[in-house]
């Protein structure tokens, strides 16, 4: 299941450059179980800095195909499964002209495209940053002659009221669409996916390489989870110094050899 979640998130990166949005046939009905097993839905937020220069922000909802959500409306016990929820989500996305990815071969999974930036400059401008520079609060972690390693620590999207905001959003949708007055957040599993084409960036997550992209997966995160990025950067001045020094050394050795050769030839 973990591999499936990762691969479906990656699907966004391959389809969007070609402008593909999937408005597929209705999901295949399945026989729901009578109780929720472990979780009802996995929510994966993805932020991908693609090698094409585009930046993708997406949210994947992967519903447990063997579970139903139990709730009460005016004293009446009710259940709902992923078929009905995804059907309603698709209707909302289409009405609001929101791009999404859906495949009827995986009817319990849907990916909502939250935002696509054409470049880092566009993202920077939205954040009030001028130019193309990569603006990250980087802190120097270590330094040697050849490399400097920087570190960036940030909380998960559930921290600082993020989880409460999501709960309110889900509560409002559940109440309006299905009459669910209380959303049980313990039945939600949250993940995060960070994608980059920089090999020099590592994280405290699990990394998956696909073509020229590196995807860092953080599973089962919570309000206290920390996303840590490390970036190793060459100390260019030292590298250039060594290269120039080596080049001068080669030139000097060549000149010295030439002088010795001329001297021997003259004496000979």
């Amino acid at each position: 299941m973990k591999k499936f979640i990762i691969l479906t998130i990656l699907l966004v990166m391959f389809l969007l450059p070609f402008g593909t949005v999937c408005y597929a046939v209705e999901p295949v009905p399945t026989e729901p179980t009578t109780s929720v097993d472990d979780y009802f839905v996995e929510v994966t937020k993805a932020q991908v800095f693609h090698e094409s220069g585009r930046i993708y922000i997406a949210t994947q909802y992967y519903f447990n195909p063997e579970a139903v959500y139990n709730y009460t409306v005016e004293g009446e016990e009710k259940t709902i499964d992923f078929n009905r929820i995804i059907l309603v989500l698709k209707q909302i996305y289409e009405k609001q002209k929101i791009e999404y990815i859906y495949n009827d071969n995986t009817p319990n999974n849907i990916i909502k495209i939250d935002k696509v930036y054409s470049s880092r400059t566009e993202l920077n401008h939205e954040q009030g940053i001028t130019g193309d520079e990569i603006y990250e609060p980087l802190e120097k972690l270590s330094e040697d002659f050849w490399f400097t390693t920087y570190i960036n620590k940030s909380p998960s999207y559930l921290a600082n009221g993020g989880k409460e905001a999501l709960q309110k959003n889900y509560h409002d949708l559940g109440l309006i669409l299905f009459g669910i007055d209380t959303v049980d957040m313990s039945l939600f599993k949250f993940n995060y996916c960070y994608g980059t084409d920089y090999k020099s960036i590592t994280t405290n997550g699990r990394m998956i390489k696909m073509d020229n992209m590196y995807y860092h997966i953080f599973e089962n995160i919570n309000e206290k989870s920390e996303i840590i990025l490390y970036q190793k950067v060459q100390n260019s001045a030292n590298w250039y110094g060594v290269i120039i020094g080596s080049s001068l050394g080669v030139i000097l050795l060549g000149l010295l050899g030439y002088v010795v050769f001329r001297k021997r030839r003259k004496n000979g």
Side-chain angles (χ1 to χ4, degrees):
M1 184 177 295
K2 292 179 180 179
K3 184 177 181 181
F4 171 80
I5 292 171
I6 295 167
L7 291 180
T8 49
I9 270 292
L10 301 186
L11 190 62
V12 177
M13 279 30 95
F14 289 97
L15 294 183
L16 273 186
F18 302 99
T20 302
V21 183
C22 301
Y23 299 104
V25 298
E26 300 303 330
V28 179
T30 59
E31 188 66 29
T33 58
T34 56
S35 63
V36 176
D37 180 19
D38 191 17
Y39 67 92
F40 181 65
V41 61
E42 289 197 38
V43 179
T44 301
K45 296 280 187 179
Q47 183 179 33
V48 177
F49 296 84
H50 197 262
E51 61 178 334
S52 65
R54 295 183 179 92
I55 301 169
Y56 299 95
I57 312 295
T59 304
Q60 176 182 252
Y61 297 97
Y62 179 88
F63 291 88
N64 188 337
E66 300 178 353
V68 297
Y69 190 90
N70 300 301
Y71 63 103
T72 304
V73 177
E74 296 180 353
E76 181 182 355
E77 296 290 334
K78 294 190 174 184
T79 61
I80 188 172
D81 68 350
F82 71 86
N83 287 289
R84 188 177 171 198
I85 294 177
I86 286 189
L87 175 60
V88 171
L89 288 178
K90 287 167 58 183
Q91 292 172 343
I92 293 174
Y93 296 159
E94 292 174 14
K95 184 176 181 179
Q96 298 181 358
K97 300 187 183 305
I98 297 173
E99 292 185 315
Y100 69 92
I101 292 175
Y102 173 80
N103 190 316
D104 57 352
N105 291 323
T106 54
N108 58 317
N109 179 70
I110 191 168
I111 300 174
K112 174 177 172 283
I113 312 304
D114 299 310
K115 186 79 174 182
V116 180
Y117 297 95
S118 61
S119 66
R120 185 72 193 227
T121 301
E122 184 182 352
L123 173 62
N124 285 350
H125 286 172
E126 185 173 287
Q127 296 177 341
I129 304 169
T130 303
D132 298 315
E133 70 273 15
I134 298 177
Y135 182 79
E136 299 287 357
L138 297 176
E139 175 186 346
K140 185 182 292 186
L141 180 65
S142 62
E143 183 176 15
D144 57 28
F145 184 81
W146 300 107
F147 296 97
T148 298
T149 300
Y150 295 91
I151 184 172
N152 175 32
K153 296 182 179 181
S154 59
S156 75
Y157 59 85
L158 298 176
N160 302 319
K163 186 173 182 179
E164 289 75 11
L166 284 176
Q167 184 173 17
K168 183 180 185 307
N169 183 35
Y170 297 152
H171 168 79
D172 292 344
L173 284 174
L175 185 61
I176 294 171
L177 299 175
F178 308 109
I180 301 175
D181 56 0
T182 303
V183 175
D184 186 355
M185 294 294 280
S186 68
L187 302 178
F188 287 69
K189 179 180 178 181
F190 295 96
N191 309 309
Y192 174 66
C193 173
Y194 172 80
T196 177
D197 60 335
Y198 283 96
K199 183 180 180 180
S200 60
I201 294 180
T202 58
T203 70
N204 60 329
R206 183 162 58 91
M207 192 274 288
I208 300 248
K209 184 178 184 298
M210 195 168 187
D211 293 332
N212 297 321
M213 292 293 299
Y214 302 87
Y215 298 95
H216 300 267
I217 314 300
F218 302 81
E219 295 180 90
N220 203 21
I221 62 173
N222 55 45
E223 302 94 313
K224 297 181 180 180
S225 297
E226 195 170 45
I227 310 299
I228 304 177
L229 275 65
Y230 305 91
Q231 184 167 17
K232 183 178 287 189
V233 179
Q234 292 182 354
N235 294 328
S236 301
N238 294 343
W239 280 88
Y240 292 149
V242 170
I243 292 172
I244 294 171
S246 300
S247 300
L248 289 175
V250 171
I251 293 172
L252 290 174
L253 286 174
L255 290 174
L256 180 60
Y258 178 72
V259 170
V260 171
F261 171 76
R262 287 290 301 271
K263 186 175 181 181
R264 287 180 178 175
R265 185 175 180 182
K266 184 177 180 181
N267 293 335

